Amino acid sequence: MEMRRARDDVVLRSLQRSLTDAVVHHGPHHRQMSSRARTIVVAYDDSDASRRALDAAADLMGYGSTLSVVHVRRAGAPEGRTVDAARDHLLGRHVTARYLEPCGHPAKEVVEVARAVGADLVVVGRRSALKRVLGSVSADVVRRAPCDVLVVGE
């Protein structure tokens, strides 16, 4: 467990350094990416994959950054318990966030929140055990997001 955490920390630091040099291509326009995302949206459903995504998003937070945690509920599902788990976890790390619980299709709602808050980064977890295969929600978010997407693996 410690080895995996140490490896993840090295990868995350490497990613943070490389973000300053990354050129992002969106349509016909090119822009230089900032060294830190200012508005981050993370998809959360209390799975292991989403907890890793939540940790990665918290690690990427910098001064002046905002974090929105999105838990997409099915119609009729009770509110609160899943978001409470995310809130407790982030408070333990001294990270504040906005918590949203829209109803609908997970990928569509995460992308809508990203658009609404003007996100420059969406963070999602990957559940697939296969290294090169994205789950349906993370793949849909990657295809539809109006900004960069970080997919956090195991």
Side-chain angles (χ1 to χ4, degrees):
M1 185 63 116
E2 284 298 317
M3 288 283 270
R4 191 170 95 194
R5 179 72 179 162
R7 184 194 70 211
D8 290 347
D9 288 345
V10 168
V11 169
L12 187 58
R13 281 193 301 275
S14 174
L15 173 66
Q16 288 171 336
R17 271 188 245 112
S18 68
L19 286 176
T20 58
D21 299 326
V23 175
V24 182
H25 302 280
H26 286 275
H29 304 287
H30 301 287
R31 65 178 169 87
Q32 188 71 23
M33 212 171 139
S34 66
S35 61
R36 269 207 201 272
R38 304 278 304 177
T39 306
I40 302 170
V41 170
V42 60
Y44 186 79
D45 64 3
D46 205 26
S47 65
D48 288 341
S50 70
R51 283 189 290 274
R52 288 190 305 274
L54 188 65
D55 279 331
D59 290 343
L60 291 169
M61 293 290 292
Y63 181 76
S65 296
T66 60
L67 177 63
S68 296
V69 178
V70 181
H71 168 65
V72 181
R73 295 181 300 116
R74 290 191 175 114
E79 290 185 29
R81 289 198 334 244
T82 301
V83 167
D84 289 343
R87 182 180 292 114
D88 291 345
H89 183 75
L90 289 176
L91 287 176
R93 294 191 58 177
H94 307 288
V95 174
T96 59
R98 174 188 334 177
Y99 300 89
L100 305 161
E101 287 189 278
C103 288
H105 182 272
K108 181 181 177 215
E109 295 301 325
V110 168
V111 169
E112 286 301 315
V113 168
R115 278 195 183 96
V117 301
D120 48 12
L121 181 66
V122 174
V123 182
V124 294
R126 183 190 60 179
R127 290 184 180 183
S128 175
L130 301 172
K131 295 260 185 209
R132 296 186 180 176
V133 178
L134 292 178
S136 60
V137 172
S138 54
D140 281 353
V141 171
V142 168
R143 277 193 296 275
R144 297 178 182 186
C147 59
D148 299 319
V149 177
L150 172 62
V151 179
V152 180
E154 292 183 22

